[in-house]
Amino acid sequence: VVGVHSIRLPKNARFNLFNLVGDADSSGNMLLKIQHIGNEIQPRRFFNQPSYVFRTSRGRLPATLANISGCLVPRTETHNPRTFGELLAACQKFGSWPMIVRSRGEHGGQKMLLLSELDQLESVKDLEWLYSGICIVEFIEYKNKDGLYQKNRVIMIDGIAYPRHSIFSDKWIIHAGSRSDLMHTDLELCRREERLLAELRDTGMGKYARTFHEIQARVGLDVFGVDFAIMEDEIVVFEANACMNFLDRRFRASDRYQYMDSHVNALKRAIKKLLLRS
């Protein structure tokens, strides 16, 4: 509000500034402007500083979280192909098959492809988003022993990790809408989610606590989320950024997810505590 509407602040005013722009890939210029505003007005506390947001870009995240014990981040490269030939060359040079090709700055499972061989690009070469900035990501097969995919989300608030969800699917790409697939008909999967979230909460993240403590130290943001899978006691981080929805209650459409309420309430309390303490 301060930056967009050029609001004049009272002389010698002291206040907090909370940056709500969280995507380093699509909003780089805006983040630089917000950082400049913060430098000029010197708030008492600057939540989610843009300089930290840049650490979470899809291309930079593997380096940000490199060499953390118990943590693996798939290799990621960013490219700006303008022709089909340049797209082919970028994928061929990446050379790790299968691979994910996704649009930069997109979330919620939008504009993503899983490719197992170079020839597959021929059938999708007319997709416009392929030529507007992409990420090429190493695909790590993360099926569990039951042959299902399981994507977990933890929200970091003021340095503390809060479990948010653990969604099961028979598809590799998982988002909030994936609950309407397997979990909508298999109550045992809901019970498994309920048990895992309770265990992570009650044990302070248990054996993963040190890993998430280090992730927090590397990223530095006041509020952000981590999406990950668990493979043989190692977490595979898909993304870590401040662009994650975590206070919505769409799960209330089904009575089977009532256990989620306590976790969302904990997140709301943590946000309020963060703001009131500042």
Side-chain angles (χ1 to χ4, degrees), residues 18-196:
F18 204 128
N19 165 44
L20 295 178
V21 178
D23 194 312
D25 292 303
S26 64
S27 304
N29 289 335
M30 180 59 72
L31 286 166
L32 291 174
K33 292 178 181 178
I34 295 170
Q35 187 69 56
H36 178 70
I37 292 170
N39 293 340
E40 282 196 329
I41 61 181
Q42 292 293 306
R44 291 168 54 198
R45 184 166 176 182
F46 194 169
F47 296 96
N48 276 15
Q49 290 201 46
S51 59
Y52 296 162
V53 174
F54 282 113
R55 299 174 183 176
T56 68
S57 71
R58 296 195 186 275
R60 187 173 171 182
L61 188 65
T64 299
L65 304 184
N67 302 316
I68 296 178
S69 178
C71 176
L72 174 65
V73 185
R75 183 165 67 95
T76 303
E77 293 182 359
T78 59
H79 293 273
N80 294 283
R82 293 291 178 257
T83 66
F84 183 57
E86 291 178 357
L87 176 63
L88 282 172
C91 292
Q92 192 168 29
K93 183 179 178 181
F94 188 77
S96 178
W97 301 93
M99 67 177 66
I100 297 169
V101 177
R102 65 179 303 158
S103 176
R104 290 215 304 269
E106 292 286 341
H107 298 270
Q110 302 298 309
K111 298 180 180 177
M112 293 178 64
L113 301 170
L114 178 60
L115 305 175
S116 57
E117 57 184 27
L118 196 64
D119 291 345
Q120 287 179 278
L121 281 170
E122 181 68 33
S123 63
V124 296
K125 66 179 182 180
D126 293 328
L127 293 175
E128 293 184 5
W129 62 263
L130 289 170
Y131 310 100
S132 299
I134 60 171
C135 294
I136 303 177
V137 185
E138 172 191 12
F139 177 75
I140 295 176
E141 180 58 79
Y142 66 102
K143 280 184 182 178
N144 61 27
K145 60 184 180 181
D146 300 322
L148 298 178
Y149 295 100
Q150 178 183 0
K151 190 190 79 169
N152 314 287
R153 175 169 293 180
V154 161
I155 304 300
M156 307 296 299
I157 300 177
D158 205 16
I160 299 175
Y162 297 84
R164 173 57 176 84
H165 67 228
S166 181
I167 301 177
F168 293 86
S169 177
D170 56 359
K171 302 177 179 63
W172 70 272
I173 183 170
I174 298 178
H175 48 83
S178 298
R179 288 189 182 276
S180 62
D181 299 332
L182 291 183
M183 296 186 74
H184 187 67
T185 58
D186 191 336
L187 189 59
E188 174 55 26
L189 293 179
C190 299
R191 299 288 77 84
R192 287 171 63 178
E193 177 182 36
E194 182 178 11
R195 289 192 295 269
L196 176 62

Side-chain angles (χ1 to χ4, degrees), residues 213-225:
H213 178 78
E214 184 62 26
I215 289 174
Q216 169 66 56
R218 299 283 189 91
V219 172
L221 291 169
D222 302 280
V223 181
F224 68 100

